Amino acid sequence: MGLVIKEGDVDTAMRLSRLVPEFIGPPEKKEYKRRLSGKTHLILIAWLDDKPVGFKVGYQEKDYFYSWMGGVLPSYRRRNVARKLAEAQEAWARRQGIRSIVFKTRNQHKNMLLFAISRGFQIVGFKEKNR
């Protein structure tokens, strides 16, 4: 069986986020509820051979869709999982009439920056982290 992208739930996204080494202290259920409650949102889970291997969570803000959380388990990277999740999220957003998707990442996540640029995202700013 190949890669399948399906809508999922908070618990599966949270379990996966705990297995992504780049996430230090991933959000708990309370934060998911705070961000998603009362908003149009989408939780996608990537399944490979009936095993969840990646996720993408986002929600609609005023005039854009905020792609908030996402990741792929390390042993499943370089298999186009992130690309397929992004394509599914973008297609869903278009069907909802959303014209803009925004996300934030840290400068230390170079692969995420490169992925974003390859998907056509534009870097519009940065914020210095307080030390």
Side-chain angles (χ1 to χ4, degrees):
M1 183 178 195
L3 184 70
V4 176
I5 307 293
K6 298 192 284 191
E7 289 193 33
D9 58 63
V10 168
D11 290 331
T12 305
M14 285 176 43
R15 272 196 313 277
L16 287 166
S17 72
R18 292 183 189 115
L19 300 173
V20 174
E22 291 85 358
F23 296 149
I24 299 168
E28 297 295 329
K29 193 171 228 169
K30 180 177 167 183
E31 182 64 11
Y32 277 85
K33 284 186 177 192
R34 185 184 77 77
R35 288 181 179 259
L36 304 180
S37 183
K39 295 182 181 175
T40 299
H41 64 273
L42 178 67
I43 301 171
L44 293 174
I45 307 296
W47 297 83
L48 189 60
D49 299 325
D50 295 323
K51 177 180 179 179
V53 299
F55 74 104
K56 202 153 186 60
V57 179
Y59 53 89
Q60 188 164 358
E61 284 292 350
K62 296 171 188 134
D63 58 346
Y64 63 90
F65 188 81
Y66 182 49
S67 183
W68 173 49
M69 291 287 297
V72 176
L73 302 182
S75 58
Y76 292 92
R77 293 179 183 172
R78 307 236 183 268
R79 298 186 190 191
N80 293 317
V81 175
R83 181 177 61 81
K84 296 280 188 178
L85 283 163
E87 287 172 353
Q89 184 182 69
E90 291 164 11
W92 179 89
R94 277 192 302 276
R95 288 192 302 273
Q96 305 306 308
I98 299 167
R99 300 230 183 274
S100 180
I101 297 177
V102 172
F103 80 95
K104 298 175 186 176
T105 191
R106 295 192 169 109
N107 194 44
Q108 69 202 40
H109 301 306
K110 303 278 191 251
N111 287 335
M112 189 62 207
L113 288 166
L114 293 170
F115 177 76
I117 291 167
S118 77
R119 303 269 333 133
F121 281 81
Q122 297 177 22
I123 297 172
V124 296
F126 70 95
K127 182 177 165 183
E128 292 281 340
K129 184 174 181 174
N130 296 336
R131 294 183 189 254

